[in-house]
Amino acid sequence: EIVMTQSPATLSVSPGERVTLSCRASQGVRSNLAWYQQRPGQAPRLLIYGASTRATGIPARFSGSGSGTEFTLTINSLQSEDFAVYHCQQYSNWPRTFGQGTKVEIK
Amino acid sequence: QVQLQESGPGLVKPSETLSLTCTVSGDSISSYYWTWMRQPAGKGLEWIGRISARGNTDYSPSLKSRVTMSIDTSKNQFSLELNSVTAADTAMYFCARENWYFDFWGRGTLVTVSS
């Protein structure tokens, strides 16, 4: 099973700042990597797939990069609705696996 | 817009079987794979397994011995059964559509395992 490791566990930031979240795979997953946003009490929402393609309706301030084992999610000019938990997920191998999540909280 | 809705008992006794159903609207269940995932409180997401309209299934190796998924295309529903549950199975359970990644999700249903 591919282990996905996200860092940091928590990020404390102010609105308007830029944040970068990291996700590392224990073995290469090519570009088969997705990012999800999960607000409290809600289901995850697909943000990015194919490591860098924004899903329908996702604002341009969200961007993804990377391939192989190292990936990043960048959020430019953080808005109030962006404070949430972010999960990465690989769909290269079975079983599908997720990282433990990075919580972006208000500083 | 594709919508998914989980339903089923919120409380299950230890050693019994957890049964959940996901109803899909806005899309035919005859396309794609349909997936179950779960999330214990404060923890990460765990993929449980998936089923196609033809009934082809893939399960997580860690849960394979206890999981059964089924599908009813006439009702646009698919279901999860997890037997011999313990407190470790207490979690929010989500159904989702798989398009390699998971592009549409249900809101989730909390299942607590307790006597």
Side-chain angles (χ1 to χ4, degrees):
Chain A
E1 158 172 329
I2 297 177
V3 177
M4 307 299 292
T5 303
Q6 291 185 243
S7 60
T10 304
L11 264 176
S12 298
V13 296
S14 300
E17 288 186 356
R18 174 182 177 179
V19 297
T20 300
L21 286 63
S22 294
C23 175
R24 173 177 292 177
S26 61
Q27 62 190 77
V29 299
R30 294 170 289 182
S31 295
N32 297 319
L33 191 286
W35 289 94
Y36 303 86
Q37 177 194 65
Q38 188 176 25
R39 296 174 178 143
Q42 296 188 16
R45 176 176 73 144
L46 177 67
L47 293 177
I48 301 283
Y49 62 91
S52 61
T53 302
R54 279 190 303 277
T56 302
I58 301 303
R61 64 179 182 274
F62 291 91
S63 62
S65 64
S67 67
T69 61
E70 300 284 342
F71 301 88
T72 59
L73 174 70
T74 300
I75 312 172
N76 287 305
S77 187
L78 209 66
Q79 306 294 301
S80 58
E81 62 266 29
D82 300 336
F83 291 96
V85 176
Y86 293 84
H87 306 274
C88 64
Q89 177 244 329
Q90 65 80 22
Y91 50 94
S92 179
N93 277 26
W94 299 99
R96 307 310 198 202
T97 48
F98 292 83
Q100 284 300 101
T102 291
K103 182 179 181 180
V104 177
E105 63 178 24
I106 300 175
K107 191 173 184 178
Chain B
Q1 178 78 342
V2 181
Q3 293 186 318
L4 297 92
Q5 177 68 58
E6 304 88 350
S7 59
L11 181 64
V12 182
K13 290 182 168 56
S15 80
E16 295 190 347
T17 298
L18 177 160
S19 297
L20 296 174
T21 296
C22 182
T23 302
V24 180
S25 58
D27 189 18
S28 170
I29 204 168
S30 297
S31 303
Y32 301 101
Y33 270 85
W34 303 91
T35 298
W36 287 99
M37 286 169 283
R38 67 181 184 179
Q39 185 177 35
K43 296 189 178 180
L45 291 153
E46 179 183 17
W47 181 82
I48 299 171
R50 69 174 191 169
I51 188 167
S52 72
R54 293 187 175 185
N56 297 322
T57 56
D58 294 290
Y59 299 141
S60 170
S62 65
L63 295 169
K64 187 174 185 177
S65 64
R66 298 194 291 131
V67 171
T68 303
M69 293 185 184
S70 58
I71 194 163
D72 186 338
T73 55
S74 67
K75 294 182 179 179
N76 240 34
Q77 293 178 333
F78 62 103
S79 298
L80 167 71
E81 288 192 344
L82 180 66
N83 61 39
S84 304
V85 297
T86 70
D89 295 309
T90 293
M92 186 71 76
Y93 284 75
F94 296 97
C95 59
R97 187 180 83 170
E98 178 178 331
N99 189 11
W100 291 99
Y101 38 86
F102 306 111
D103 54 1
F104 291 98
W105 295 65
R107 299 184 70 171
T109 187
L110 178 63
V111 178
T112 301
V113 178
S114 174
S115 55

